[in-house]
Amino acid sequence: MPKSPENNSPSSHVTLTRPVGSVPCRGKVYNAFMDRNSSDPSPNDAKLLSMPVHEAPGVGRSRAQLLNKLGIDTVADLLFHFPRDYEDLTKLSKVCQLEQGKKVSVAGTIREVELREFGDGRNMLGVLLHDGVDYLRGVWFNQPFLKNRFRADQGCIFSGVPKKRGGRWEMSHPQFVFHDDEPQPEGMLPVYPLTEGLAQRPMRVMVAATVERFGSVLEEAIPDGLLERFELMAVEEALSVIHQPRDREQLVRARRRFVFQELFIMQLALARRRHMLAVENAPPLPISAKIRARILRLFPFDLTPFQVEVCEEIAADMAMDRPMNRLLQGDVGSGKTVVAAFAMLLCVAHGYQAAMMAPTEVLVRQHARSLRQLLHHSTVRIETMIGADTPSQRDALLKRIAAGEVDLLVGTQALAHAAESGKMDMQRLGLVIIDEQHKFGVRQRALLKQTGAAPHYLVMTATPIPRTMTMTLFGDLSVSQLQGAPTQRRIHTYKGTSETRSRWWEFFAKKLREGRQGYVIVPVVGGSETDGAVVVDGVRSLEEVIEELACQTLEEFRIDLMHGRMTSREKDEAMLRFSSGETQVLVATSIVEVGIDVPNATVMTIESSDRFGLAQLHQLRGRVGRGAHPGYVCVFSDDSVVTSERLDIFCRTSDGFVLAEEDFRLRGPGAMLGTKQHGLPPFRIASLLDDHQTLEEARSEAETLIQGDPDLKSTEHAKLARLMKAQYGESLDLGDVG
Ligand code: ADP
Ligand code: MG
């Protein structure tokens, strides 16, 4: 194998850096609007904003304590405590125009206030509002103290969701304002997130007074040129409007200003990160015709044109003395593993080491096995590292790694932990691959990195996440798409019902008799699998399912079990038995969700499928139909309407991208990624669902700005630099800016 270029010999020290491509934040401590934790000297006026919140007008010590519970500690926090909604009093309805379930506001005069006690401690307050023609009743349960707020003949507006009960209109727990004591009852009233003991009205008063007193102290962070070009409202005006909009149009403009700021600060951080990565040193690992031929000879099949294209893209990146930072997206079964193997072999061809991190032990073993198979004639040394290694195993492995006796290292997040603890010493690390990246939380998504030269870095994900999320989570990576699939993939998906259950199982058994294999997927509820909890409430447990299958439905077949509570050795053995064909049916939790590749498996039953997200179901389904035979999947669920709609979409659609968008729309970005540590910044106001256009604008503008002023040294950018550093400086390791 060719020797590596002398000038790039990396130093021996391996450190763990912040994950590339994720934007972890320190929760509410920072936001894209305030930099109160910045050590930079800020103008005196700005100091007013970091005063404790009890100094704000109308707050005082005891309310300050309640505000603290909402994460509002300073005057600035109160200014940026945005409303979660508005009562739109600009569009008042008459009672005769009410529609069942449609939120509105109704103005009228209070006619009657009645508190009814039920005798068991419960009570109901009814307040009758007359709009001049008809009546609307507001009802409040167990809030007797509200009684004293209402007086007959008072002018009042109710906002809420009307319901017709016994021929009369009612609103349960409506918001209310009185004509006579609100300054602007005809405008839009903010509705703030509250905490127990703090009502909407005092909150409005506190915020309004604080905006009035301190709003003018705010410095504009966005340079004039940008404000003009994007027609953004200036910060002082926007702040006052967002708390007290006159109308919807004005509100939309104010909101857009803050959304832009929030997304722009994030994109600036990512652009800065891209810039920093682009100037690091990495070992150039160019491909030659000879190396290419030697690698391709190892595969038992020809690469598809799509695979060739992506491999060449990667090879071109790796030839540079700058680190590759690339995200490879491709639907389940598109053949990403082969691409990863290609990159790793290119790396070892140069005498460098490659590390690959995968989310589960089972997957790590599978990767190691197929790599060993590919390379059984060669001298390439392959090792695995998993959490279940004994201390002596681990020590021995670390010694061999340090001695340069390992070429390919495949592991779970144990790799990242080992690196973090400073024990991993990979002298010649040239490439890091993260497989199924979407399965890693932010913390675990750490990468191995040397202090001397950075390795090339390839992230792979089978969840085709929507573009707004790609731009957020992987905003500093270049993106490759792996199209198509190596084999004509045919997966038929059915929605099972109790009537069709036995027919499905007959079909399942028929396929097994034909020599195929099958999965039965049972969800895990109450705790994650890695916690070892196979606790199931109301859902059929693994043991129940297996018992029933083994005794009745699939009596004649060899059935095995796999779940997260088993030791890694047990899991490994179960997986081996299944992939070798020794067992015919694998009953498993979602532990097999990603990466598992047993081409002979063609049938899958998914029980309680309502427990899985669409993207997850798509991953699960991707385990079958990987070989010459088509796959068949049947999903069963407890029959709720929502589930049923979701499952219809799932059965209709085989495009993972469409499903991901749908999942995103139905469950929001966080739930879709399926982990609390998903790495999305906690936006105060921006929404990845609604604000994609603003995100695109912010992204391209951020790129331009960083190109011109990478360290944000110009005075015009000082405030932006402070905000960016306060929020992302630490998590993204942004270096010296501003
Ligand atoms: P992914 O990781 O993208 O879900 P895999 O890399 O596991 O997909 O590939 C899916 C299946 O296709 C595997 O069984 C793999 O061996 C096979 N495969 C990959 N590339 C080719 C190819 N070029 N020709 C034939 N089969 C291939
Ligand atoms: Mg894979």
Side-chain angles (χ1 to χ4, degrees):
M1 288 194 177
K3 279 217 122 224
S4 68
E6 217 46 82
N7 59 340
N8 270 292
S9 86
S11 87
S12 65
H13 193 67
V14 177
T15 55
L16 184 87
T17 68
R18 301 291 157 186
V20 171
S22 65
V23 191
C25 283
R26 299 234 314 241
K28 67 188 181 206
V29 177
Y30 297 131
N31 68 62
F33 306 107
M34 281 314 299
D35 59 340
R36 65 194 161 90
N37 286 54
S38 160
S39 55
D40 291 338
S42 43
N44 262 339
D45 274 359
K47 290 234 161 65
L48 293 173
L49 300 177
S50 36
M51 289 191 311
V53 71
H54 70 254
E55 307 263 6
V59 178
R61 299 268 174 191
S62 65
R63 279 197 182 144
Q65 278 179 3
L66 294 171
L67 290 174
N68 292 161
K69 285 191 197 161
L70 288 164
I72 302 168
D73 300 328
T74 64
V75 169
D77 290 337
L78 191 56
L79 288 179
F80 292 105
H81 186 58
F82 293 135
R84 62 170 168 78
D85 199 2
Y86 298 85
E87 285 167 41
D88 190 351
L89 306 181
T90 59
K91 292 204 186 71
L92 293 177
S93 278
K94 289 287 179 190
V95 174
C96 65
Q97 299 168 311
L98 293 183
E99 284 175 52
Q100 184 91 359
K102 196 170 157 200
K103 195 181 162 191
V104 283
S105 302
V106 177
T109 311
I110 291 172
R111 289 290 180 231
E112 193 182 290
V113 182
E114 183 196 20
L115 183 66
R116 236 188 284 168
E117 313 263 356
F118 296 122
D120 55 358
R122 292 180 307 137
N123 57 65
M124 184 186 90
L125 177 69
V127 177
L128 206 57
L129 189 76
H130 187 232
D131 76 352
V133 181
D134 301 297
Y135 288 93
L136 167 68
R137 181 183 300 273
V139 293
W140 287 264
F141 292 95
N142 303 320
Q143 300 192 20
F145 48 88
L146 283 183
K147 182 175 183 236
N148 301 327
R149 304 280 295 279
F150 297 99
R151 277 180 289 108
D153 298 329
Q154 208 176 7
C156 189
I157 297 171
F158 284 177
S159 299
V161 181
K163 232 188 281 165
K164 201 150 202 179
R165 188 163 292 153
R168 303 211 197 127
W169 285 105
E170 257 186 33
M171 268 184 195
S172 168
H173 293 233
Q175 301 281 342
F176 56 93
V177 247
F178 299 106
H179 288 310
D180 24 359
D181 64 9
E182 285 286 338
Q184 269 190 324
E186 77 281 359
M188 296 180 69
L189 284 180
V191 177
Y192 291 102
L194 299 172
T195 185
E196 201 186 327
L198 187 57
Q200 200 58 249
R201 180 175 303 249
M203 187 65 141
R204 283 178 184 150
V205 173
M206 287 188 290
V207 176
T210 306
V211 169
E212 177 145 358
R213 169 96 66 90
F214 293 106
S216 58
V217 174
L218 281 177
E219 284 175 85
E220 181 58 75
I222 302 180
D224 287 347
L226 273 184
L227 286 179
E228 254 168 60
R229 199 137 35 84
F230 290 97
E231 297 180 354
L232 299 172
M233 216 180 242
V235 68
E236 190 183 341
E237 185 189 356
L239 193 77
S240 125
V241 169
I242 202 139
H243 289 294
Q244 281 146 5
R246 258 198 327 270
D247 53 43
R248 200 148 279 280
E249 196 190 0
Q250 203 195 21
L251 171 63
V252 167
R253 291 193 52 224
R255 183 180 177 277
R256 181 175 131 78
R257 185 239 137 81
F258 289 115
V259 168
F260 182 90
Q261 179 166 340
E262 195 163 43
L263 296 174
F264 187 55
I265 296 293
M266 170 185 77
Q267 289 300 328
L268 265 185
L270 288 166
R272 162 81 185 158
R273 174 85 196 168
R274 279 197 298 276
H275 178 82
M276 288 173 64
L277 292 173
V279 298
E280 279 184 303
N281 287 316
L285 308 169
I287 195 154
S288 63
K290 200 169 136 212
I291 295 179
R292 184 184 290 111
R294 265 174 44 201
I295 295 176
L296 292 180
R297 217 170 32 232
L298 291 170
F299 297 118
F301 38 65
D302 290 334
L303 299 195
T304 67
F306 299 117
Q307 284 169 323
V308 170
E309 186 188 321
V310 173
C311 284
E312 294 303 325
E313 221 166 15
I314 289 170
D317 276 6
M318 288 173 65
M320 305 291 198
D321 58 1
R322 305 286 170 227
M324 163 169 76
N325 282 289
R326 188 166 284 279
L327 168 70
L328 173 57
Q329 284 191 324
D331 207 345
V332 208
S334 57
K336 293 182 294 295
T337 316
V338 174
V339 176
F342 184 94
M344 287 193 284
L345 294 174
L346 174 55
C347 176
V348 291
H350 285 276
Y352 275 82
Q353 299 164 301
M356 180 172 184
M357 193 157 85
T360 64
E361 291 172 10
V362 174
L363 198 48
V364 165
R365 307 283 186 154
Q366 179 183 285
H367 282 324
R369 239 189 337 266
S370 44
L371 285 169
R372 285 195 179 108
Q373 227 164 35
L374 282 184
L375 297 167
H376 68 284
H377 287 311
S378 79
T379 55
V380 175
R381 295 153 299 185
I382 304 165
E383 292 293 345
T384 60
M385 183 185 288
I386 57 172
D389 293 339
T390 65
S392 63
Q393 278 173 328
R394 178 64 60 84
D395 283 348
L397 178 57
L398 289 170
K399 280 209 187 86
R400 298 195 50 212
I401 291 171
E405 294 169 13
V406 177
D407 302 304
L408 294 182
L409 182 62
V410 188
T412 55
Q413 44 175 296
L415 285 184
H417 295 318
E420 196 168 31
S421 67
K423 287 187 192 134
M424 186 123 84
D425 177 11
M426 281 190 113
Q427 304 260 345
R428 304 176 63 74
L429 183 61
L431 172 70
V432 172
I433 296 183
I434 316 283
D435 191 18
E436 311 286 358
Q437 158 110 44
H438 62 284
K439 281 278 129 190
F440 289 102
V442 171
R443 280 283 305 136
Q444 299 98 311
R445 215 190 291 141
L447 77 156
L448 309 156
K449 193 183 156 189
Q450 293 164 306
T451 45
H456 298 284
Y457 184 64
L458 178 66
V459 173
M460 307 201 293
T461 176
T463 294
I465 60 177
R467 182 167 156 75
T468 50
M469 266 159 87
T470 309
M471 281 193 290
T472 306
L473 284 170
F474 307 117
D476 50 1
L477 306 180
S478 338
V479 180
S480 293
Q481 277 283 350
L482 185 53
Q483 311 279 346
T487 52
Q488 178 62 26
R489 302 208 75 200
R490 280 159 303 157
I491 304 179
H492 306 277
T493 309
Y494 310 96
K495 197 165 85 172
T497 61
S498 47
E499 288 87 57
T500 55
R501 191 175 262 278
S502 61
R503 273 226 320 277
W504 165 254
W505 281 116
E506 276 164 33
F507 177 81
F508 195 99
K510 178 167 153 264
K511 287 292 159 195
L512 298 183
R513 274 184 223 112
E514 287 170 9
R516 307 284 80 75
Q517 290 164 280
Y519 297 96
V520 180
I521 308 296
V522 183
V524 170
V525 180
S528 77
E529 260 245 301
T530 35
D531 295 343
V534 188
V535 184
V536 181
D537 52 1
V539 185
R540 302 182 347 126
S541 76
L542 263 187
E543 281 80 3
E544 261 171 53
V545 170
I546 207 166
E547 172 100 12
E548 185 188 310
L549 292 177
C551 298
Q552 303 163 30
T553 328
L554 301 176
E555 207 179 351
E556 62 193 287
F557 303 106
R558 299 180 300 276
I559 301 178
D560 210 345
L561 179 68
M562 190 162 83
H563 58 75
R565 224 176 10 180
M566 289 162 47
T567 66
S568 53
R569 173 125 179 234
E570 288 166 340
K571 279 185 277 195
D572 210 29
E573 288 169 356
M575 204 56 234
L576 263 179
R577 282 194 296 270
F578 188 63
S579 59
S580 70
E582 190 185 327
T583 50
Q584 294 162 288
V585 181
L586 189 61
V587 182
T589 57
S590 59
I591 190 170
V592 296
E593 177 181 340
V594 289
I596 296 301
D597 185 28
V598 180
N600 190 45
T602 62
V603 276
M604 174 178 278
T605 308
I606 306 180
E607 297 281 1
S608 306
S609 51
D610 40 320
R611 304 272 159 164
F612 300 105
L614 282 176
Q616 200 180 7
L617 285 171
H618 185 63
Q619 292 291 319
L620 284 165
R621 155 168 85 180
R623 298 311 113 211
V624 299
R626 298 174 80 83
H629 304 277
Y632 302 90
V633 178
C634 192
V635 286
F636 291 97
S637 72
D638 328 327
D639 256 344
S640 81
V641 185
V642 188
T643 313
S644 166
E645 188 199 335
R646 275 187 348 139
L647 291 182
D648 285 339
I649 298 169
F650 177 62
C651 294
R652 265 202 321 270
T653 315
S654 59
D655 184 332
F657 233 111
V658 174
L659 288 172
E661 290 279 359
E662 198 60 31
D663 220 15
F664 186 55
R665 198 177 61 76
L666 289 172
R667 302 196 306 157
M672 183 194 159
L673 288 176
T675 158
K676 285 204 188 93
Q677 307 166 294
H678 48 63
L680 290 170
F683 294 125
R684 294 209 154 202
I685 188 161
S687 147
L688 292 181
L689 269 172
D690 303 332
D691 298 317
H692 51 96
Q693 196 189 332
T694 310
L695 178 57
E696 299 272 2
E697 287 168 0
R699 179 175 173 81
S700 82
E701 201 51 44
E703 182 61 38
T704 313
L705 195 148
I706 291 289
Q707 291 285 334
D709 182 13
D711 301 326
L712 296 175
K713 291 291 184 217
S714 94
T715 41
E716 202 192 10
H717 300 148
K719 180 83 178 162
L720 286 175
R722 280 214 300 276
L723 291 175
M724 178 182 89
K725 201 151 99 184
Q727 185 163 9
Y728 297 108
E730 199 182 322
S731 60
L732 284 180
D733 203 6
L734 293 178
D736 193 18
V737 286

